[in-house]
Amino acid sequence: MAARHGERLKRGKERALVAEVKHDGKRLALAFPQTYVNDSGLSVAALVRRFGIDDLRRLVVLHDELDLPVGRVKLKVGGGTAGHNGLKSIQAHLHDNGFVRIRIGVDKPPGKRQGADHVLKRPSKSDKEALEVAVQVAADAVEAILEEGPEAAMNRYNTRPD
């Protein structure tokens, strides 16, 4: 997203790489926490305070999702964590789960492999290509959320064919 808008992420005080861009005349703060995933709520809570986000529906969290096929992108507002330690941390630090999520499918691990091991391994060439496309779709979804709101964006992106 930062490159798409001619910016670069820079180290911020909130234990995150941060950039601010304008899209369609609206300010968009981009951040990539630099904590361990299971501590990402520390960074997100500090960013929410810094940018004065009082309505968590204005916070969009992009994350990997084991329950979706590789490369599938789906949006939702609120909900559970499905065992995702990053989401657990964010919910714990914000004391709320009403933020918008963009879920990027990475599929379930084969056999008895644990989810953490699965998401930390290098993806296959075909998975990497699918994930590169998914990241661009996710960026488009962020812009749609900013332009039209979460519900309209969900209607558009959650009904897309795989």
Side-chain angles (χ1 to χ4, degrees):
M1 287 287 307
R4 183 182 276 197
H5 292 278
E7 291 292 329
R8 287 181 349 143
L9 293 168
K10 298 175 186 131
R11 189 159 305 282
K13 298 175 193 165
E14 300 83 9
R15 296 171 66 182
L17 299 176
V18 181
E20 289 186 60
V21 301
K22 289 266 188 194
H23 177 77
D24 207 25
K26 297 176 185 170
R27 184 174 81 152
L28 177 62
L30 307 171
F32 179 23
Q34 298 297 286
T35 60
Y36 289 109
V37 169
N38 60 349
D39 285 333
S40 55
L42 293 167
S43 179
V44 172
L47 289 159
V48 164
R49 286 190 298 277
R50 172 181 170 184
F51 291 104
I53 298 172
D54 51 3
D55 176 1
L56 286 184
R57 289 171 50 89
R58 293 181 48 220
L59 172 65
V60 180
V61 175
L62 287 78
H63 65 89
D64 53 1
E65 178 63 61
L66 293 169
D67 292 331
L68 292 175
V70 173
R72 179 74 166 106
V73 175
K74 290 193 86 167
L75 287 63
K76 74 184 228 178
V77 178
T81 64
H84 193 291
N85 289 332
L87 293 176
K88 286 179 189 177
S89 177
I90 293 168
Q91 285 185 12
H93 283 87
L94 296 179
H95 309 290
D96 199 324
N97 69 351
F99 50 90
V100 180
R101 299 134 190 241
I102 298 180
R103 304 157 56 214
I104 300 174
V106 294
D107 211 355
K108 290 194 185 314
K112 294 186 183 246
R113 183 186 297 168
Q114 296 290 355
D117 294 334
H118 177 64
V119 297
L120 292 175
K121 78 171 181 60
R122 191 173 304 278
S124 68
K125 184 177 179 183
S126 64
D127 285 357
K128 183 178 181 195
E129 291 169 358
L131 291 169
E132 287 171 356
V133 170
V135 167
Q136 294 307 311
V137 171
D140 294 342
V142 169
E143 292 175 350
I145 291 166
L146 191 61
E147 294 164 7
E148 307 164 21
E151 285 75 19
M154 284 189 297
N155 286 338
R156 183 184 325 168
Y157 287 90
N158 291 354
T159 57
R160 291 169 55 112
D162 286 331

